[in-house]
Amino acid sequence: MAAYEIVITILFLAVLGWAIRSRNPFNLGAVLGGFMIFGFDWLWCSRGFWNATTASNLVMVPGIDILGQRYPLSICFVWSVGFGFLPLFASKFHDRIGRVLGPLHFPVILAIAAAIDIVVESVCISIGVWTYHQAPEYLLLGVPWSNMWFMGGLLTASYFGLARVEKWAAIPKDAGLALTSETTWKGLLMPAATILTAAFLLGTLQLFWWSAVHPWVESGRLF
């Protein structure tokens, strides 16, 4: 478990350092937008959504302790690297990928994103970082198979969204990171909003799936 925390912390610091050194607020905004998904994840882990629990021996986010539930700092890093940096990096090659895939662009990206989520989550589950408490028929390698369209969809929406929003923002690549600059704030907020809006919309749609299937088993969570 310590190795997991060390590795993901190093990856997060490397990604954050890259975003800052790039002097492009759009890059930093995407990395921070991914990080901020942890606020949604706190709600998604509840009994009426994923019904998930995390290892108790991880370093937790200070100040969050509600009815015995806490939130690991390392999972914030997972969100930042996996759902901020990864779709941002891929979006830099959007046009080139689009030319190669043509009309298959969307379905291929969605399939790849779904596979990435299942593989990465199954590894984290196997080492005990988090656990989904759902009936076996709703799990694939310990991961809710509905995450293929939910988390895969979030990666996909972020990839396509960031590619377009970066063009719309038209921010110079070396615009800098001055907090008094309107360009900086535009660069920070537009990519973060792209990722967080996709998370909200897909999370809301997922509520209808949970309402239809009721997949949960006892987790010990109070909420």
Side-chain angles (χ1 to χ4, degrees):
M1 197 70 68
Y4 148 78
E5 287 189 290
I6 291 170
V7 169
I8 191 58
T9 300
I10 291 173
L11 284 175
F12 169 72
L13 292 176
V15 165
L16 182 63
W18 165 80
I20 293 172
R21 288 195 307 273
S22 73
R23 295 183 52 79
N24 186 339
F26 195 90
N27 292 337
L28 183 58
V31 170
L32 295 179
F35 185 97
M36 288 186 287
I37 294 179
F38 91 85
F40 285 122
D41 193 37
W42 171 261
L43 302 175
W44 290 341
C45 286
S46 65
R47 289 170 63 100
F49 203 92
W50 273 327
N51 196 25
T53 54
T54 59
S56 60
N57 59 339
L58 297 172
V59 176
M60 301 294 177
V61 175
I64 297 181
D65 188 342
I66 302 175
L67 297 179
Q69 295 299 319
R70 304 180 68 195
Y71 193 88
L73 185 61
S74 60
I75 297 182
C76 300
F77 300 160
V78 172
W79 284 114
S80 184
V81 174
F83 290 82
F85 172 75
L86 182 59
L88 170 69
F89 179 77
S91 72
K92 306 290 186 182
F93 305 94
H94 172 274
D95 292 346
R96 189 182 309 174
I97 295 171
R99 286 193 295 270
V100 172
L101 296 178
L104 295 177
H105 194 176
F106 176 81
V108 168
I109 293 298
L110 179 59
I112 292 173
I116 289 173
D117 179 74
I118 294 296
V119 169
V120 172
E121 286 208 75
S122 65
V123 170
C124 290
I125 288 167
S126 70
I127 62 177
V129 180
W130 62 79
T131 302
Y132 292 106
H133 301 275
Q134 298 188 17
E137 59 267 30
Y138 293 99
L139 299 176
L140 173 63
L141 301 176
V143 185
W145 44 260
S146 60
N147 276 11
M148 287 190 287
W149 67 69
F150 178 34
M151 292 291 95
L154 177 52
L155 279 170
T156 302
S158 297
Y159 159 74
F160 282 105
L162 289 170
R164 284 163 173 76
V165 169
E166 186 163 19
K167 292 179 181 178
W168 298 339
I171 294 172
K173 293 186 181 299
D174 59 349
L177 298 169
L179 295 182
T180 56
S181 168
E182 182 178 343
T183 299
T184 294
W185 284 107
K186 181 170 72 169
L188 291 173
L189 295 176
M190 289 184 72
T194 300
I195 295 169
L196 293 172
T197 298
F200 170 76
L201 293 175
L202 289 168
T204 301
L205 287 174
Q206 192 70 359
L207 291 175
F208 292 91
W209 169 251
W210 301 132
S211 181
V213 299
H214 291 256
W216 310 288
V217 297
E218 183 53 50
S219 64
R221 291 184 62 105
L222 296 178
F223 63 94

Short mmCIF file of all heavy atoms in Angstrom, two decimals, residues 111-148:
data_model
loop_
_atom_site.label_atom_id
_atom_site.label_comp_id
_atom_site.label_asym_id
_atom_site.label_seq_id
_atom_site.Cartn_x
_atom_site.Cartn_y
_atom_site.Cartn_z
N ALA A 111 -14.04 2.85 -26.31
CA ALA A 111 -13.64 1.48 -25.98
C ALA A 111 -12.29 1.46 -25.26
O ALA A 111 -12.10 0.73 -24.27
CB ALA A 111 -13.57 0.64 -27.26
N ILE A 112 -11.36 2.28 -25.75
CA ILE A 112 -10.04 2.35 -25.11
C ILE A 112 -10.16 2.92 -23.70
O ILE A 112 -9.56 2.41 -22.75
CB ILE A 112 -9.08 3.20 -25.96
CG1 ILE A 112 -8.75 2.49 -27.27
CG2 ILE A 112 -7.80 3.50 -25.18
CD1 ILE A 112 -7.94 3.34 -28.24
N ALA A 113 -10.97 3.97 -23.55
CA ALA A 113 -11.16 4.60 -22.24
C ALA A 113 -11.80 3.63 -21.26
O ALA A 113 -11.40 3.56 -20.09
CB ALA A 113 -12.02 5.86 -22.38
N ALA A 114 -12.79 2.86 -21.72
CA ALA A 114 -13.44 1.88 -20.86
C ALA A 114 -12.45 0.82 -20.41
O ALA A 114 -12.43 0.42 -19.23
CB ALA A 114 -14.61 1.23 -21.60
N ALA A 115 -11.62 0.36 -21.34
CA ALA A 115 -10.62 -0.66 -21.01
C ALA A 115 -9.60 -0.12 -20.01
O ALA A 115 -9.22 -0.82 -19.06
CB ALA A 115 -9.92 -1.13 -22.27
N ILE A 116 -9.16 1.12 -20.20
CA ILE A 116 -8.20 1.73 -19.28
C ILE A 116 -8.78 1.78 -17.88
O ILE A 116 -8.10 1.43 -16.89
CB ILE A 116 -7.82 3.15 -19.76
CG1 ILE A 116 -6.94 3.07 -21.01
CG2 ILE A 116 -7.09 3.92 -18.65
CD1 ILE A 116 -6.66 4.42 -21.65
N ASP A 117 -10.03 2.20 -17.76
CA ASP A 117 -10.64 2.30 -16.44
C ASP A 117 -10.71 0.93 -15.76
O ASP A 117 -10.35 0.80 -14.58
CB ASP A 117 -12.04 2.90 -16.53
CG ASP A 117 -12.70 2.98 -15.16
OD1 ASP A 117 -12.29 3.85 -14.37
OD2 ASP A 117 -13.58 2.14 -14.88
N ILE A 118 -11.19 -0.08 -16.47
CA ILE A 118 -11.34 -1.40 -15.87
C ILE A 118 -9.98 -1.94 -15.43
O ILE A 118 -9.84 -2.49 -14.31
CB ILE A 118 -12.00 -2.38 -16.86
CG1 ILE A 118 -13.45 -1.96 -17.14
CG2 ILE A 118 -11.97 -3.80 -16.30
CD1 ILE A 118 -14.38 -2.03 -15.94
N VAL A 119 -8.96 -1.79 -16.26
CA VAL A 119 -7.63 -2.31 -15.94
C VAL A 119 -7.04 -1.60 -14.72
O VAL A 119 -6.57 -2.24 -13.77
CB VAL A 119 -6.68 -2.19 -17.15
CG1 VAL A 119 -5.24 -2.49 -16.73
CG2 VAL A 119 -7.11 -3.14 -18.26
N VAL A 120 -7.06 -0.26 -14.74
CA VAL A 120 -6.46 0.49 -13.64
C VAL A 120 -7.22 0.26 -12.35
O VAL A 120 -6.62 0.03 -11.28
CB VAL A 120 -6.42 2.00 -13.99
CG1 VAL A 120 -5.97 2.81 -12.77
CG2 VAL A 120 -5.48 2.25 -15.16
N GLU A 121 -8.54 0.29 -12.41
CA GLU A 121 -9.32 0.08 -11.19
C GLU A 121 -9.13 -1.33 -10.64
O GLU A 121 -9.03 -1.53 -9.43
CB GLU A 121 -10.80 0.32 -11.46
CG GLU A 121 -11.18 1.78 -11.61
CD GLU A 121 -12.61 2.03 -11.19
OE1 GLU A 121 -12.87 2.04 -9.97
OE2 GLU A 121 -13.47 2.18 -12.08
N SER A 122 -9.07 -2.33 -11.52
CA SER A 122 -8.91 -3.70 -11.05
C SER A 122 -7.58 -3.88 -10.33
O SER A 122 -7.49 -4.63 -9.34
CB SER A 122 -9.04 -4.69 -12.21
OG SER A 122 -7.98 -4.52 -13.14
N VAL A 123 -6.53 -3.19 -10.80
CA VAL A 123 -5.24 -3.25 -10.13
C VAL A 123 -5.34 -2.62 -8.74
O VAL A 123 -4.86 -3.19 -7.74
CB VAL A 123 -4.15 -2.55 -10.97
CG1 VAL A 123 -2.86 -2.39 -10.16
CG2 VAL A 123 -3.89 -3.33 -12.25
N CYS A 124 -5.96 -1.44 -8.66
CA CYS A 124 -6.11 -0.76 -7.37
C CYS A 124 -6.95 -1.59 -6.40
O CYS A 124 -6.67 -1.64 -5.20
CB CYS A 124 -6.73 0.62 -7.57
SG CYS A 124 -5.62 1.80 -8.39
N ILE A 125 -7.97 -2.23 -6.92
CA ILE A 125 -8.81 -3.09 -6.08
C ILE A 125 -8.04 -4.30 -5.60
O ILE A 125 -8.15 -4.72 -4.43
CB ILE A 125 -10.08 -3.51 -6.86
CG1 ILE A 125 -11.02 -2.31 -7.02
CG2 ILE A 125 -10.80 -4.67 -6.18
CD1 ILE A 125 -12.13 -2.53 -8.02
N SER A 126 -7.21 -4.87 -6.48
CA SER A 126 -6.46 -6.08 -6.11
C SER A 126 -5.47 -5.83 -4.99
O SER A 126 -5.15 -6.74 -4.22
CB SER A 126 -5.74 -6.64 -7.34
OG SER A 126 -4.68 -5.79 -7.74
N ILE A 127 -4.96 -4.60 -4.87
CA ILE A 127 -4.01 -4.30 -3.80
C ILE A 127 -4.73 -3.65 -2.60
O ILE A 127 -4.07 -3.26 -1.63
CB ILE A 127 -2.86 -3.40 -4.29
CG1 ILE A 127 -3.38 -2.04 -4.78
CG2 ILE A 127 -2.07 -4.10 -5.38
CD1 ILE A 127 -2.27 -1.08 -5.21
N GLY A 128 -6.05 -3.52 -2.68
CA GLY A 128 -6.83 -3.10 -1.52
C GLY A 128 -7.02 -1.62 -1.33
O GLY A 128 -7.41 -1.18 -0.24
N VAL A 129 -6.78 -0.82 -2.37
CA VAL A 129 -6.94 0.64 -2.22
C VAL A 129 -8.40 0.99 -2.01
O VAL A 129 -8.74 1.78 -1.13
CB VAL A 129 -6.37 1.38 -3.43
CG1 VAL A 129 -6.55 2.90 -3.26
CG2 VAL A 129 -4.90 1.05 -3.64
N TRP A 130 -9.30 0.43 -2.83
CA TRP A 130 -10.72 0.62 -2.62
C TRP A 130 -11.48 -0.65 -2.99
O TRP A 130 -10.95 -1.54 -3.66
CB TRP A 130 -11.27 1.82 -3.38
CG TRP A 130 -11.17 1.80 -4.88
CD1 TRP A 130 -11.99 1.14 -5.76
CD2 TRP A 130 -10.21 2.50 -5.69
NE1 TRP A 130 -11.61 1.38 -7.05
CE2 TRP A 130 -10.53 2.21 -7.05
CE3 TRP A 130 -9.15 3.35 -5.41
CZ2 TRP A 130 -9.79 2.73 -8.11
CZ3 TRP A 130 -8.42 3.87 -6.47
CH2 TRP A 130 -8.74 3.57 -7.80
N THR A 131 -12.73 -0.72 -2.52
CA THR A 131 -13.56 -1.90 -2.75
C THR A 131 -14.97 -1.45 -3.07
O THR A 131 -15.52 -0.57 -2.39
CB THR A 131 -13.61 -2.80 -1.50
OG1 THR A 131 -12.27 -3.19 -1.15
CG2 THR A 131 -14.45 -4.04 -1.75
N TYR A 132 -15.56 -2.05 -4.11
CA TYR A 132 -16.96 -1.81 -4.43
C TYR A 132 -17.81 -2.91 -3.80
O TYR A 132 -17.54 -4.10 -4.00
CB TYR A 132 -17.17 -1.83 -5.95
CG TYR A 132 -16.54 -0.68 -6.68
CD1 TYR A 132 -15.38 -0.86 -7.45
CD2 TYR A 132 -17.09 0.60 -6.64
CE1 TYR A 132 -14.80 0.18 -8.14
CE2 TYR A 132 -16.52 1.65 -7.33
CZ TYR A 132 -15.38 1.44 -8.07
OH TYR A 132 -14.81 2.48 -8.76
N HIS A 133 -18.83 -2.50 -3.05
CA HIS A 133 -19.69 -3.47 -2.39
C HIS A 133 -20.98 -3.62 -3.20
O HIS A 133 -21.99 -2.98 -2.92
CB HIS A 133 -19.97 -3.02 -0.96
CG HIS A 133 -18.71 -2.85 -0.15
ND1 HIS A 133 -18.11 -3.90 0.51
CD2 HIS A 133 -17.92 -1.76 0.06
CE1 HIS A 133 -17.02 -3.47 1.12
NE2 HIS A 133 -16.89 -2.17 0.87
N GLN A 134 -20.87 -4.44 -4.24
CA GLN A 134 -22.00 -4.74 -5.11
C GLN A 134 -22.06 -6.24 -5.37
O GLN A 134 -21.05 -6.94 -5.21
CB GLN A 134 -21.90 -3.97 -6.43
CG GLN A 134 -21.91 -2.46 -6.26
CD GLN A 134 -22.00 -1.70 -7.58
OE1 GLN A 134 -22.35 -2.25 -8.61
NE2 GLN A 134 -21.68 -0.41 -7.55
N ALA A 135 -23.22 -6.73 -5.75
CA ALA A 135 -23.38 -8.15 -6.03
C ALA A 135 -22.42 -8.58 -7.15
O ALA A 135 -22.14 -7.78 -8.06
CB ALA A 135 -24.82 -8.45 -6.41
N PRO A 136 -21.91 -9.82 -7.09
CA PRO A 136 -20.90 -10.28 -8.06
C PRO A 136 -21.31 -10.11 -9.51
O PRO A 136 -20.46 -9.84 -10.37
CB PRO A 136 -20.72 -11.76 -7.70
CG PRO A 136 -21.08 -11.84 -6.25
CD PRO A 136 -22.19 -10.84 -6.07
N GLU A 137 -22.61 -10.28 -9.81
CA GLU A 137 -23.04 -10.19 -11.20
C GLU A 137 -22.94 -8.77 -11.77
O GLU A 137 -23.06 -8.58 -13.00
CB GLU A 137 -24.47 -10.70 -11.37
CG GLU A 137 -25.52 -9.97 -10.56
CD GLU A 137 -25.80 -10.62 -9.21
OE1 GLU A 137 -24.85 -11.24 -8.65
OE2 GLU A 137 -26.94 -10.51 -8.73
N TYR A 138 -22.71 -7.80 -10.90
CA TYR A 138 -22.55 -6.42 -11.37
C TYR A 138 -21.09 -5.98 -11.42
O TYR A 138 -20.81 -4.81 -11.71
CB TYR A 138 -23.34 -5.45 -10.49
CG TYR A 138 -24.84 -5.65 -10.61
CD1 TYR A 138 -25.55 -6.38 -9.66
CD2 TYR A 138 -25.53 -5.11 -11.69
CE1 TYR A 138 -26.92 -6.57 -9.80
CE2 TYR A 138 -26.89 -5.30 -11.82
CZ TYR A 138 -27.58 -6.03 -10.88
OH TYR A 138 -28.93 -6.23 -11.01
N LEU A 139 -20.18 -6.91 -11.13
CA LEU A 139 -18.76 -6.58 -11.07
C LEU A 139 -17.97 -7.32 -12.13
O LEU A 139 -18.26 -8.48 -12.44
CB LEU A 139 -18.19 -6.93 -9.69
CG LEU A 139 -18.80 -6.20 -8.48
CD1 LEU A 139 -18.20 -6.73 -7.19
CD2 LEU A 139 -18.61 -4.69 -8.59
N LEU A 140 -16.97 -6.67 -12.67
CA LEU A 140 -16.01 -7.26 -13.59
C LEU A 140 -14.62 -6.98 -13.04
O LEU A 140 -14.21 -5.82 -12.95
CB LEU A 140 -16.16 -6.65 -14.99
CG LEU A 140 -15.12 -7.05 -16.04
CD1 LEU A 140 -15.19 -8.55 -16.33
CD2 LEU A 140 -15.30 -6.24 -17.33
N LEU A 141 -13.92 -8.03 -12.61
CA LEU A 141 -12.61 -7.88 -11.96
C LEU A 141 -12.70 -6.98 -10.74
O LEU A 141 -11.78 -6.23 -10.42
CB LEU A 141 -11.58 -7.34 -12.96
CG LEU A 141 -11.33 -8.17 -14.22
CD1 LEU A 141 -10.35 -7.46 -15.15
CD2 LEU A 141 -10.80 -9.55 -13.86
N GLY A 142 -13.84 -7.04 -10.07
CA GLY A 142 -14.06 -6.22 -8.88
C GLY A 142 -14.58 -4.84 -9.15
O GLY A 142 -14.87 -4.08 -8.22
N VAL A 143 -14.70 -4.46 -10.43
CA VAL A 143 -15.13 -3.12 -10.83
C VAL A 143 -16.57 -3.20 -11.36
O VAL A 143 -16.89 -4.12 -12.12
CB VAL A 143 -14.23 -2.56 -11.95
CG1 VAL A 143 -14.61 -1.11 -12.28
CG2 VAL A 143 -12.76 -2.69 -11.57
N PRO A 144 -17.45 -2.28 -10.98
CA PRO A 144 -18.78 -2.27 -11.59
C PRO A 144 -18.64 -2.14 -13.11
O PRO A 144 -18.02 -1.20 -13.60
CB PRO A 144 -19.44 -1.01 -11.00
CG PRO A 144 -18.74 -0.79 -9.70
CD PRO A 144 -17.32 -1.22 -9.96
N TRP A 145 -19.19 -3.11 -13.85
CA TRP A 145 -19.01 -3.05 -15.29
C TRP A 145 -19.73 -1.86 -15.92
O TRP A 145 -19.41 -1.45 -17.03
CB TRP A 145 -19.40 -4.36 -15.98
CG TRP A 145 -20.66 -5.03 -15.55
CD1 TRP A 145 -20.79 -6.10 -14.70
CD2 TRP A 145 -22.00 -4.72 -15.97
NE1 TRP A 145 -22.10 -6.47 -14.57
CE2 TRP A 145 -22.87 -5.64 -15.33
CE3 TRP A 145 -22.54 -3.77 -16.82
CZ2 TRP A 145 -24.26 -5.61 -15.52
CZ3 TRP A 145 -23.92 -3.73 -17.00
CH2 TRP A 145 -24.76 -4.65 -16.35
N SER A 146 -20.65 -1.26 -15.18
CA SER A 146 -21.27 -0.03 -15.68
C SER A 146 -20.27 1.12 -15.74
O SER A 146 -20.52 2.13 -16.41
CB SER A 146 -22.46 0.36 -14.80
OG SER A 146 -22.05 0.58 -13.46
N ASN A 147 -19.12 0.97 -15.06
CA ASN A 147 -18.09 2.01 -15.16
C ASN A 147 -17.49 2.08 -16.55
O ASN A 147 -16.82 3.06 -16.88
CB ASN A 147 -16.98 1.75 -14.13
CG ASN A 147 -17.32 2.29 -12.76
OD1 ASN A 147 -18.46 2.69 -12.51
ND2 ASN A 147 -16.36 2.31 -11.86
N MET A 148 -17.72 1.04 -17.36
CA MET A 148 -17.21 1.11 -18.73
C MET A 148 -17.83 2.27 -19.48
O MET A 148 -17.16 2.95 -20.27
CB MET A 148 -17.45 -0.22 -19.45
CG MET A 148 -16.54 -1.34 -18.97
SD MET A 148 -16.61 -2.82 -20.01
CE MET A 148 -18.22 -3.47 -19.55
#
